[in-house]
Amino acid sequence: MARKLLLEHAQVEGIHTYDVYRKNGGYKAVEKALKSMSPEDVVEEVKKSGLRGRGGAGFPTGMKWSFIAKPEGVPRHLLCNADESEPGTFKDRYLMEKIPHLLIEGMIVSSYALGCNSSYIYIRGEYMYVLQILERAIAEAYANGWLGKNIQGSGYDLDLHVSPGAGAYICGEETALIESLEGKRGNPRMKPPFPAVQGLWARPTVVNNVETIAAVVPIVNEGGDSYAAIGVGKSTGTKLISASGNINKPGVYEIELGVSVEEFIYSDQYCGGMKNGKRIKACVPGGSSVPILPHYLITKTAAGESRLMTYESLADGGFASGSMLGSGGFIVYDEDQCIVRNTWNFSRFYHHESCGQCSPCREGTGWMEKVLHRLEYGHGKMEDIDLLWDIQRQIEGNTICPLGDAAAWPVAAAIRHFREEFEWHVNEPKRCLETNYGLVKEKTFESVNA
Amino acid sequence: MSEATPKFKITIDGHTVEVDPGTTILNAARLLGGDSVPPAMCYYTSLKGSGGKCRTCLVEVSKGSEKDPRPMPKLVASCSTTVMDGMEIKNKSSQRVLDARSGVVEMLLINHPLDCPICDQAGECHLQDLAYEHGKSNTRYEFERRTFEKLDIGEYIKLHMTRCILCYRCVYTANQLTDKREHGVLKRGDAAEIGTFIENNLTNDFIGNVIDVCPVGALTDKTFRFRSRVWYTKPMDVHRDCPTCSGKAVAWMIGDEVARVTARKDQFGEVKEFICNDCRFHKKEKSDWTIEGPRHIDRTSVISANHYELEIPKHTPLLNKA
Ligand SMILES: Cc1cc2nc3c(=O)[nH]c(=O)nc-3n(C[C@H](O)[C@H](O)[C@H](O)COP(=O)(O)O)c2cc1C
Ligand code: SF4
Ligand code: SF4
Ligand code: FES
């Protein structure tokens, strides 16, 4: 049986309350860290664990922590990124909703390691009810002496605040998050300076994902080495995967990194196979930003090896034949799904969410959406496919923040692997429109084109 | 005496220059001048925080530094990347840069009206110049362009968002002139617009400078709008004794009449000394000013096409065709 480090107690009745959480071993990591470890010891354990950022980029957390500047007399801040807005990703919500105290405990231990005395959870505005769950839990933690002044008599002080966003995906980008938290328009900043040197209010700052911070709890409890023993190579520990699409059991799963993609999709422990016995057509394994994989590259790499749920294996083959683990938003498409429609839908999202600071992303995302819309609704031209390819290339790598890349990659991968389907849309506009999922009955070709 | 700080030696397209540590690639290139200089649509030396947005100034760093010679994987914004000792940069000698730049120009133009002949900025528009040099000769954009109503922001300034390229220069200007935030960006993505929030009037004594920093025809002088094409006016360096600003300006004359007053721009199109509203909007008599002599326009610009000595860019005029 796979080990669960984060969601082990998720199904325990009342685990969202302090008493139940405490009875199930909660706040032991805080006790251990504050009583018997120095902040450096905690950083050391996190380094040993091999934990990598769970927000998407997979940057080693211990290394990130060791970069934080420590100028004399300047406060430092830890910010928890709970903005979770990437289509296909919903794991942080599940964790916070079910076991809010796990995140709070992680925040305490991590803030201690970084030497922060006031830390923030920046939560997506649409998660207002989760914010209320967190606030209730934080109040309990204060009441029981886990937050505030002189925590458990250790001499360490920490205040924890929750701050909601106002409905912008871009505020999940760490520097936009900082701007937003400062009360400004959520435009990403130019780097350098990096947040580790000048972040919130120009103070040294670390931004980490909800799951990353929660994972620090088992790492402190059981030791970095024990965490690193799970997984394959540089993909250590467990990872939450948000599984959705045409599978039998959509939901949030905690996997040990290294399980095979095949097992993840088909075993009853996880997705439970394809719904209605359909064939698998494609898979986006890491949230809407990562390249889509065609059916023959999902469970096997181009080299014919079994594909694993790890950072490395999912990326095997680069963009030519691989993808990314990203934030773990695992979307499965069956044979009835239209790739052009899906690509248009994603591009609609990025167009809507671009902050508009830099010209390639501001203009290019809208342009791609319009061209994809035209293709999807039967007005496309053959040249549109090459035009799309050009537009995404003009965006990728040329923008301030990675949202530009995130908008470009799905379009590039869809054309790379499903060019025939785009061509089919041009050649057979009527048929493809009628075949498309969801359009069959409600809209006829004529009504859409009226 | 403190020791002179060591200079960093860098190379741009094969030309070498020594600059102080902390200098950006763009400013180093401006010391070299000529073809080494990347175009800059959003950076503005005197505006803190400006730059990084338009992406026209992208360059390739083919050698990071003497210590770490690895090339940078992505093109970088030259206006906001500082040099390292031994850095080697490619501007026009890099096909990647030229491709990316023409890509950026295409993006800047897809939602820009192609009606230069009726725009007040024609002839001194940086976007027009940029399009001449880097643009493609036809547009691949076949959708409706974004349009906005024209707005009066204050007594003297007209905002035509349709032409705005969201360089944020006017935002930084307004922010850095006053403590109040009364001019900023509303909305997001390609719906973003410059605004004064509930049609505020901009009233600061120096607010007229937003007109000069605007690289396109989005912010224009209501006391001048459409009185004449700029190339029919004669720019003269002028000055006056002004209690508010330096009083050093350019008077754009039609015969003996002062049609318009602006601040003085350098060869990179930047104002070094901002002027006050009084000089700009109220001093429209020749007798208000002491005339120093004709203004030399350095920029290779569409203005030079009419009565200046500089060479006219040879490319097909893209914008006039549309
Ligand atoms: C457009 C955009 C949106 C992002 N959204 C999120 C998000 O919702 N949650 C998150 O944890 N990271 C998000 N990230 C990544 C963050 O910038 C940052 O890398 C991450 O929070 C770092 O945490 P980690 O090291 O723990 O992964 C986003 C990045 C971009 C470019
Ligand atoms: S890439 Fe897009 S979202 Fe990121 S800063 Fe540029 S315009 Fe904003
Ligand atoms: S109005 Fe002009 S100066 Fe202001 S952002 Fe737009 S283009 Fe730039
Ligand atoms: S001038 Fe450098 S990005 Fe605009």
Side-chain angles (χ1 to χ4, degrees):
Chain A
M1 189 66 187
R3 290 188 56 193
K4 285 190 180 164
L5 303 179
L6 304 177
L7 301 185
E8 194 183 349
H9 303 297
Q11 300 307 330
V12 174
E13 184 76 32
I15 192 73
H16 63 280
T17 62
Y18 172 76
D19 291 336
V20 179
Y21 181 73
R22 179 76 175 139
K23 267 193 213 103
N24 283 276
Y27 290 100
K28 281 215 177 109
V30 179
E31 274 174 323
K32 181 172 174 187
L34 295 189
K35 292 213 172 102
S36 63
M37 295 169 83
S38 70
E40 293 73 27
D41 291 340
V42 179
V43 176
E44 201 44 48
E45 287 308 314
V46 172
K47 275 190 182 162
K48 271 198 244 165
S49 74
L51 174 65
R52 291 166 68 174
R54 303 299 194 218
F59 192 83
T61 306
M63 203 191 296
K64 186 176 200 167
W65 287 10
S66 62
F67 289 154
I68 192 169
K70 296 184 172 166
E72 202 55 48
V74 183
R76 303 187 275 277
H77 296 287
L78 171 65
L79 313 181
C80 171
N81 190 341
D83 194 53
E84 188 167 69
S85 312
E86 175 122 337
T89 309
F90 41 85
K91 64 184 177 77
D92 296 340
R93 184 196 72 198
Y94 184 80
L95 192 151
M96 292 185 288
E97 192 183 328
K98 291 284 176 189
I99 358 178
H101 284 284
L102 182 64
L103 176 60
I104 296 166
E105 183 172 6
M107 284 301 281
I108 302 167
V109 180
S110 307
S111 302
Y112 173 71
L114 290 161
C116 308
N117 301 109
S118 66
S119 298
Y120 295 80
I121 300 171
Y122 183 92
I123 187 166
R124 173 177 185 188
E126 291 86 340
Y127 285 177
M128 206 44 97
Y129 72 102
V130 184
L131 178 138
Q132 286 163 359
I133 294 174
L134 283 175
E135 286 195 328
R136 241 175 277 138
I138 288 173
E140 287 180 307
Y142 269 104
N144 289 281
W146 299 101
L147 283 170
K149 293 252 174 281
N150 192 17
I151 297 171
Q152 304 292 323
S154 65
Y156 174 63
D157 307 334
L158 176 67
D159 281 313
L160 182 57
H161 312 270
V162 193
S163 180
Y169 168 62
I170 191 58
C171 290
E173 194 280 338
E174 55 185 11
T175 56
L177 185 155
I178 291 171
E179 289 279 299
S180 173
L181 206 50
E182 288 182 2
K184 301 185 188 135
R185 181 186 165 83
N187 278 3
R189 293 178 182 172
M190 304 248 288
K191 297 183 230 179
F194 289 93
V197 179
Q198 273 183 37
L200 187 65
W201 301 305
R203 296 165 178 174
T205 301
V206 165
V207 182
N208 273 130
N209 174 256
V210 170
E211 185 189 346
T212 314
I213 289 170
V216 174
V217 173
I219 290 170
V220 166
N221 278 333
E222 300 178 29
D225 287 332
S226 142
Y227 189 87
I230 304 172
V232 178
K234 287 190 174 151
S235 297
T236 60
T238 65
K239 170 92 190 83
L240 301 182
I241 304 289
S242 326
S244 64
N246 310 112
I247 45 177
N248 278 320
K249 291 165 56 193
V252 176
Y253 296 101
E254 181 168 6
I255 60 160
E256 290 189 4
L257 285 169
V259 2
S260 74
V261 174
E262 179 148 20
E263 181 180 349
F264 185 68
I265 297 176
Y266 294 100
S267 93
D268 278 338
Q269 199 182 342
Y270 304 115
C271 303
M274 299 299 293
K275 208 168 176 178
N276 303 326
K278 298 268 180 184
R279 288 171 299 177
I280 188 165
K281 176 176 181 181
C283 173
V284 171
S288 60
S289 311
V290 310
I292 192 166
L293 294 172
H295 67 91
Y296 54 91
L297 289 172
I298 300 171
T299 55
K300 295 243 182 312
T301 66
E305 281 161 20
S306 167
R307 208 184 282 276
L308 309 179
M309 300 286 281
T310 62
Y311 292 95
E312 294 75 21
S313 181
L314 281 169
D316 187 288
F319 280 5
S321 65
S323 182
M324 282 168 15
L325 178 60
S327 58
F330 196 90
I331 313 170
V332 179
Y333 301 83
D334 73 19
E335 55 193 297
D336 292 342
Q337 308 311 314
C338 172
I339 299 300
V340 175
R341 189 169 185 79
N342 179 69
T343 313
W344 166 60
N345 192 31
F346 283 176
S347 78
R348 197 164 59 121
F349 173 78
Y350 291 108
H351 173 209
H352 189 255
E353 298 299 333
S354 162
C355 83
Q357 259 191 115
C358 45
S359 13
C361 171
R362 177 182 67 241
E363 307 295 345
T365 50
W367 194 3
M368 289 198 300
E369 192 214 321
K370 291 188 181 83
V371 175
L372 280 159
H373 183 269
R374 171 159 91 185
L375 279 163
E376 166 63 9
Y377 284 95
H379 304 286
K381 299 181 281 191
M382 231 17 128
E383 304 90 85
D384 283 350
I385 307 170
D386 290 333
L387 176 61
L388 273 176
W389 184 265
D390 279 2
I391 302 173
Q392 66 80 21
R393 220 172 36 99
Q394 279 164 225
I395 302 173
E396 196 220 334
N398 292 336
T399 56
I400 295 179
C401 89
L403 188 140
D405 299 340
W409 291 341
V411 174
I415 297 176
R416 189 180 295 118
H417 298 303
F418 296 93
R419 196 178 179 89
E420 290 80 6
E421 195 165 327
F422 284 83
E423 290 172 358
W424 188 62
H425 274 70
V426 176
N427 291 329
E428 305 258 3
K430 194 170 163 164
R431 257 190 71 206
C432 75
L433 204 62
E434 285 170 353
T435 318
N436 271 351
Y437 175 80
L439 288 174
V440 190
K441 291 209 180 58
E442 296 119 69
K443 289 179 184 167
T444 62
F445 181 67
E446 280 69 29
S447 77
V448 166
N449 284 282
Chain B
M1 288 291 287
S2 66
E3 268 178 61
T5 42
K7 296 255 184 185
F8 283 176
K9 196 168 170 180
I10 64 149
T11 308
I12 303 177
D13 286 349
H15 305 287
T16 302
V17 63
E18 291 196 351
V19 296
D20 291 325
T23 308
T24 60
I25 297 174
L26 179 70
N27 282 330
R30 285 180 172 185
L31 291 174
L32 278 170
D35 268 355
S36 304
V37 190
M41 299 291 289
C42 67
Y43 171 79
Y44 210 82
T45 312
S46 52
L47 298 176
K48 220 173 130 245
S50 67
K53 301 192 193 310
C54 71
R55 317 307 282 179
T56 57
C57 72
L58 291 173
V59 294
E60 181 179 337
V61 176
S62 49
K63 177 179 169 190
S65 69
E66 211 53 70
K67 269 204 216 109
D68 183 358
R70 285 175 303 171
M72 294 191 181
K74 286 185 186 181
L75 302 181
V76 301
S78 59
C79 66
S80 33
T81 308
T82 48
V83 297
M84 301 296 279
D85 195 26
M87 189 182 260
E88 285 176 16
I89 296 134
K90 288 184 172 170
N91 178 38
K92 283 196 177 165
S93 65
S94 158
Q95 193 56 44
R96 251 177 92 199
V97 169
L98 295 178
D99 288 348
R101 205 169 280 162
S102 95
V104 171
V105 174
E106 181 173 32
M107 297 293 188
L108 284 173
L109 290 176
I110 64 169
N111 270 309
H112 195 86
L114 301 185
D115 60 357
C116 301
I118 62 152
C119 172
D120 214 23
Q121 191 90 351
E124 50 183 359
C125 171
H126 290 207
L127 185 59
Q128 198 179 21
D129 297 347
L130 189 72
Y132 271 113
E133 191 169 349
H134 296 280
K136 303 190 170 83
S137 59
N138 60 337
T139 176
R140 298 190 287 176
Y141 189 72
E142 298 168 328
F143 302 93
E144 204 176 311
R145 283 161 202 268
R146 179 173 64 226
T147 53
F148 296 84
E149 295 291 310
K150 292 192 185 79
L151 281 180
D152 285 330
I153 49 171
E155 217 176 318
Y156 310 112
I157 306 170
K158 182 74 98 182
L159 168 65
H160 193 10
M161 252 317 290
T162 304
R163 304 191 186 286
C164 171
I165 59 160
L166 284 164
C167 71
Y168 282 61
R169 282 179 181 176
C170 59
V171 177
Y172 290 112
T173 307
N175 277 355
Q176 286 163 37
L177 282 173
T178 77
D179 299 334
K180 282 188 294 186
R181 284 214 309 174
E182 48 184 26
H183 177 96
V185 180
L186 313 169
K187 306 200 186 136
R188 187 164 74 196
D190 59 10
E193 56 180 296
I194 296 297
T196 48
F197 195 60
I198 329 186
E199 309 210 1
N200 242 322
N201 279 358
L202 295 178
T203 50
N204 183 276
D205 271 351
F206 282 82
I207 200 66
N209 291 294
V210 296
I211 297 166
D212 284 345
V213 301
C214 184
V216 293
L219 290 167
T220 46
D221 180 342
K222 278 164 68 182
T223 66
F224 173 67
R225 283 190 59 148
F226 301 120
R227 286 200 44 195
S228 172
R229 312 303 315 191
V230 285
W231 53 81
Y232 298 135
T233 62
K234 275 209 172 53
M236 306 295 266
D237 278 337
V238 296
H239 67 260
R240 61 182 279 271
D241 220 0
C242 176
T244 320
C245 70
S246 73
K248 286 188 200 151
V250 179
W252 302 73
M253 315 280 296
I254 303 174
D256 265 357
E257 203 190 325
V258 176
R260 168 175 82 148
V261 178
T262 67
R264 296 183 185 179
K265 292 185 184 177
D266 68 9
Q267 69 197 96
F268 306 112
E270 290 190 11
V271 170
K272 289 289 178 272
E273 278 182 286
F274 288 124
I275 60 168
C276 68
N277 290 357
D278 203 32
C279 285
R280 183 187 301 272
F281 300 120
H282 300 298
K283 301 296 167 197
K284 294 291 179 84
E285 298 298 327
K286 198 175 172 190
S287 57
D288 291 327
W289 298 95
T290 310
I291 296 184
E292 296 169 15
R295 172 124 194 111
H296 174 80
I297 303 288
D298 282 309
R299 267 181 81 85
T300 310
S301 128
V302 190
I303 312 185
S304 10
N306 282 281
H307 51 170
Y308 287 93
E309 64 283 13
L310 292 172
E311 212 182 310
I312 305 164
K314 289 190 196 65
H315 307 264
T316 340
L318 151 79
L319 299 176
N320 292 340
K321 274 204 324 199

